[in-house]
Amino acid sequence: MKTNIIFSNQHPTILYAAHELEAYLERLNLSLPFSITLSIEEAMTYDGMHPVADPVLDDQYYLCMKPSGGFIIGSNPRSILLGVYAYLYQIGFRFLQPDRACEFIPVISSPDSLYLVHAYTAPYRHRGVCLEGACSLENIIDFITWMPKVGFNCFFVQFQLPFTFLERWYHHEQNPFQTPEPFSLALAQEYDCKIELALAERSLIHHRVGHGWTCEVAGYPSFGWMEASETPNPAHLAKLNGKRQLFHGIPLNTNLCYSDPEVIRQFTDTVITYALAHPGVDYLHVWLADEYNNICECEECQKTTPADQYVHLLNCIDQELTARNLPTKLVFLLYQELLWTPKKERFNNPDRFTLMFAPISRTFMTSYPDTMPEANPSAYCRNQITLPVNLQENLSFLSGWQQIFGGDSFVYDYPLGRAHYGDLSYLKIAQTIYEDIHNLSALHLDGYISCQELRAALPNGFPNYVMAAALTDCTISYEALKEDYYRHAYGDDYRTVLHYLETLSKLYDCDYYNRKGPRINPGIHRAMAQALTVIDDFLPILLSHVSSSALEKYYWDLLDYHREYSLRLTLALYHLSCGSNREAQIAWDEFHTYICQHEAEHQSVLDVYRITEVSEKYTGFSFKAAKFGA
């Protein structure tokens, strides 16, 4: 089938959208009796639509498919691409996770099924994901390719160069069964260019950097959380206990002396130099060190607060950007010491800035409330802070900032960064994500970016799918999403799978896996014993199932791997939760050996590096103690 697609603009994203539409419609093997026009219209008023605040940043499209002809109109090129995928979704396509093997292609017998009218304005400006974990270039490109198919509109590449995330994969850190591959700074730069091209081709909003500026000012490369011994600029470092030195030997975790005019000048110059060299970055994140309780104690710094120094620094950067006519947005971070509001400083040019609330220490066993609490944070005490855990306390800090900044904002959250490893079925964490997003408006936030592993699809990609769907459509219910996803993934017997995974989900605790609470926990121990029985009982169902399609077979085969994975990890948690540390470590070693040996065949669904790191740093297991084959 040849589709007649007309476009009034030669923008690369519109050309890409036309190619995608044509390619997917051809898979229907159905003659299309009408042409489709793709065009940009910044202010749409169809069917009661209202123009968006910023047609470059805010997504809006209008679909109209009739026998006489069809058109997809978007407020910007990205919106046209989103409209193409929305049309495909409306006629039955499903893009279940970042893998072309996970696409559901509908069977359509009549052209009548292709006709529809649909007006859409995105409920949130910020709908995206931030790179974490260990990734190959292919993992990143596959994820970026998938994002607009489900409604995401932005991608965040941490650091000036995503060297550390790529290096972890190509060096196969934490997996002794894989041979390290050559990887270099030059190769990272080459791969980063391909990542930027993939974002530009789809016009996805490009977020960049975050941590690392402090390293550059202190004279270190800002590639990741590497240790260092030399101190090129010790006078720039925060003074702690009378000494200016690296915090635990890691430059990225070390703060600077933010009262030093030379530090402010160099910091500002570093950001400006980067912004000038990277005009394709839409949102430039300017953060401080990635560790807390290491704020400078010199006499000048103690006259003010970290937040006051931070806002002053951001104002200096804004002033220089304005002088150079650079439109780059600056993202500031509410995180660690910066949860506390400044006492005196305020933003001189609020329109330049976007607030990013990052409650990294929160619980994931419950979701955000549907009302905003009053600002009532604890008093700030230099280098003696404790991070809030419960959601009310976390949001109390956000409420305080909202009283002094009423501009653009979003939450930067971590459900698929650590917490998901504690929910082996992914259904509990998926519901938390859904409910969090549905309460964003009540919290006066205009979106959500998830800091997470891209390889998070075991037993399936439902949490990421829910995240995209909830950010794209506020009206669809969690139950409807769940039914639709599982039916398309697992076929006629999907309710059996859903019952099995829902039973498991009730038994696991995301917070326990993230070292919240004591390691010896009788309730967790009893739950893990139950889970082992549930997992065992599912084997006959797996063995008897016969799949009717390649897509269904993919997901049922993945359930088989997930069952073996779950048995081993649950046994380790069973022993850990009753204090049998030796048995827990033996079980963990067996689990880790198993996932390392099978990483090649299941590479896209499980980040072996990251689950190993999290399990060692938080849960209570030790990779270093593992003796493979012993």
Side-chain angles (χ1 to χ4, degrees):
M1 177 186 70
K2 187 67 176 176
T3 307
N4 183 23
I5 299 177
I6 305 165
F7 35 89
S8 56
N9 188 304
Q10 294 288 325
H11 190 283
T13 300
I14 298 177
L15 299 180
Y16 178 77
H19 175 268
E20 286 287 276
L21 180 59
E22 182 176 51
Y24 279 108
L25 290 179
E26 284 181 354
R27 297 178 71 178
L28 296 176
N29 294 317
L30 182 70
S31 178
L32 193 66
F34 58 94
S35 63
I36 300 174
T37 301
L38 308 181
S39 63
I40 296 175
E41 190 172 314
E42 292 186 357
M44 283 178 272
T45 56
Y46 305 97
D47 295 342
M49 299 174 76
H50 300 287
V52 292
D54 187 333
V56 175
L57 299 175
D58 299 317
D59 293 309
Q60 191 174 51
Y61 52 77
Y62 184 68
L63 315 177
C64 181
M65 302 295 174
K66 297 180 178 180
S68 58
F71 55 84
I72 299 175
I73 299 172
S75 56
N76 55 61
R78 177 185 59 257
S79 293
I80 292 174
L81 180 62
L82 294 172
V84 163
Y85 293 130
Y87 174 61
L88 295 173
Y89 176 90
Q90 293 282 344
I91 63 175
F93 285 83
R94 294 293 182 273
F95 307 101
L96 301 177
Q97 65 192 56
D99 188 328
R100 287 196 177 272
C102 301
E103 295 179 346
F104 179 87
I105 310 301
V107 176
I108 296 178
S109 57
S110 168
D112 292 344
S113 302
L114 304 176
Y115 303 139
L116 60 87
V117 175
H118 179 60
Y120 176 81
T121 301
Y124 302 107
R125 172 175 290 179
H126 305 281
R127 311 183 306 281
V129 168
C130 176
L131 174 62
E132 250 294 353
C135 301
S136 70
L137 174 65
E138 290 74 21
N139 293 144
I140 298 171
I141 298 300
D142 285 349
F143 200 93
I144 289 171
T145 300
W146 175 75
M147 290 182 77
K149 294 180 181 180
V150 289
F152 285 121
N153 74 334
C154 62
F155 189 70
F156 180 7
V157 182
Q158 280 198 82
F159 304 120
Q160 293 187 20
L161 188 70
F163 178 86
T164 191
F165 309 113
L166 293 160
E167 183 190 44
R168 288 169 179 170
W169 167 251
Y170 289 106
H171 283 178
H172 301 297
E173 294 183 30
Q174 310 281 31
N175 188 343
F177 292 93
Q178 295 265 29
T179 302
E181 303 172 48
F183 191 70
S184 64
L185 178 60
L187 199 55
Q189 291 170 332
E190 177 186 330
Y191 288 177
D192 189 47
C193 288
K194 294 180 179 179
I195 293 167
E196 289 192 24
L197 285 172
L199 294 173
E201 184 175 35
R202 294 157 183 83
S203 291
L204 292 177
I205 297 172
H206 187 174
H207 290 243
R208 180 68 74 141
V209 189
H211 294 301
W213 302 112
T214 52
C215 301
E216 299 286 337
V217 175
Y220 299 94
S222 56
F223 298 147
W225 294 265
M226 295 82 168
E227 293 185 3
S229 54
E230 298 180 0
T231 309
N233 297 316
H236 290 351
L237 303 183
K239 189 175 186 178
L240 293 176
N241 301 316
K243 297 181 180 179
R244 296 188 186 273
Q245 58 189 19
L246 293 176
F247 191 64
H248 299 159
I250 301 176
L252 194 78
N253 291 345
T254 303
N255 270 304
L256 306 177
C257 181
Y258 300 115
S259 65
D260 184 341
E262 182 61 19
V263 167
I264 296 171
R265 186 191 67 78
Q266 287 194 29
F267 200 122
T268 301
D269 288 349
T270 302
V271 175
I272 298 302
T273 299
Y274 183 86
L276 284 166
H278 297 83
V281 173
D282 303 292
Y283 284 85
L284 189 56
H285 292 238
V286 180
W287 307 348
L288 304 183
D290 194 20
E291 193 56 87
Y292 58 100
N293 287 335
N294 69 329
I295 295 297
C296 188
E297 296 169 344
C298 78
E299 184 177 349
E300 284 302 310
C301 282
Q302 293 209 52
K303 293 177 181 178
T304 184
T305 72
D308 282 281
Q309 291 179 319
Y310 185 45
V311 173
H312 174 71
L313 175 61
L314 290 167
N315 280 332
C316 291
I317 296 168
D318 164 57
Q319 184 177 349
E320 292 301 317
L321 288 172
T322 301
R324 289 165 172 77
N325 293 315
L326 285 172
T328 312
K329 298 284 188 180
L330 295 178
V331 180
F332 68 96
L333 171 63
L334 311 193
Y335 180 74
Q336 299 176 352
E337 278 88 0
L338 301 177
L339 288 169
W340 281 266
T341 56
K343 293 183 180 299
K344 296 180 180 179
E345 293 284 344
R346 296 294 183 266
F347 291 103
N348 297 331
N349 178 19
D351 290 344
R352 168 82 68 183
F353 295 96
T354 294
L355 178 155
M356 189 179 92
F357 173 53
I360 193 170
S361 57
R362 64 164 287 190
T363 175
F364 284 97
M365 293 301 287
T366 56
S367 298
Y368 293 136
D370 58 4
T371 56
M372 190 69 180
E374 293 183 2
N376 188 30
S378 57
Y380 173 70
C381 187
R382 186 177 297 264
N383 293 333
Q384 295 183 40
I385 71 166
T386 300
L387 296 181
V389 174
N390 73 70
L391 291 171
Q392 289 292 325
E393 188 179 1
N394 267 288
L395 290 170
S396 177
F397 286 99
L398 172 61
S399 182
W401 273 95
Q402 288 177 341
Q403 290 179 18
I404 66 169
F405 180 81
D408 189 30
S409 64
F410 63 89
V411 66
Y412 183 74
D413 223 327
Y414 307 83
L416 302 180
R418 292 199 304 261
H420 64 302
Y421 297 123
D423 175 19
L424 274 67
S425 76
Y426 281 1
L427 284 167
K428 185 177 294 180
I429 199 68
Q431 187 158 10
T432 296
I433 291 168
Y434 176 88
E435 292 173 357
D436 280 350
I437 291 170
H438 271 253
N439 286 331
L440 290 180
S441 295
L443 305 181
H444 315 300
L445 294 166
D446 197 9
Y448 182 107
I449 291 181
S450 173
C451 179
Q452 65 167 76
E453 288 83 86
L454 303 189
R455 299 188 286 147
L458 183 68
N460 53 52
F462 185 53
N464 266 322
Y465 190 87
V466 164
M467 187 186 300
L471 285 167
T472 303
D473 182 358
C474 293
T475 65
I476 190 168
S477 72
Y478 175 74
E479 291 301 318
L481 273 173
K482 185 171 60 177
E483 287 277 321
D484 185 78
Y485 188 93
Y486 273 76
R487 177 169 52 83
H488 284 94
Y490 296 102
D492 292 341
D493 209 16
Y494 75 96
R495 290 188 183 277
T496 302
V497 178
L498 197 47
H499 174 73
Y500 163 63
L501 293 177
E502 285 181 326
T503 303
L504 282 181
S505 195
K506 295 172 184 176
L507 298 172
Y508 293 95
D509 190 310
C510 299
D511 287 350
Y512 181 79
Y513 210 92
N514 281 280
R515 202 173 58 189
K516 289 179 171 61
R519 297 300 82 193
I520 298 177
N521 186 317
I524 296 290
H525 184 64
R526 290 190 296 271
M528 294 303 93
Q530 290 179 259
L532 288 168
T533 300
V534 172
I535 296 165
D536 265 336
D537 290 346
F538 193 65
L539 180 59
I541 297 172
L542 271 174
L543 294 175
S544 63
H545 179 79
V546 178
S547 297
S548 61
S549 70
L551 178 62
E552 186 179 329
K553 185 178 187 304
Y554 171 87
Y555 279 106
W556 279 85
D557 286 350
L558 195 55
L559 272 180
D560 188 30
Y561 173 61
H562 175 262
R563 180 185 173 276
E564 298 294 334
Y565 164 100
S566 299
L567 276 173
R568 289 163 174 80
L569 182 53
T570 303
L571 182 61
L573 293 169
Y574 170 83
H575 289 304
L576 183 70
S577 58
C578 71
S580 300
N581 292 338
R582 182 176 180 276
E583 289 81 3
Q585 187 61 47
I586 291 170
W588 162 258
D589 290 348
E590 292 179 355
F591 165 76
H592 189 253
T593 299
Y594 180 78
I595 62 173
C596 286
Q597 289 175 329
H598 289 84
E599 184 171 28
E601 59 191 289
H602 298 294
Q603 192 269 355
S604 67
V605 301
L606 177 67
D607 191 327
V608 167
Y609 164 84
R610 184 63 171 154
I611 191 173
T612 306
E613 181 191 48
V614 169
S615 300
E616 181 178 18
K617 186 175 181 180
Y618 297 96
T619 315
F621 303 118
S622 175
F623 168 65
K624 295 176 183 176
K627 302 295 182 182
F628 293 95

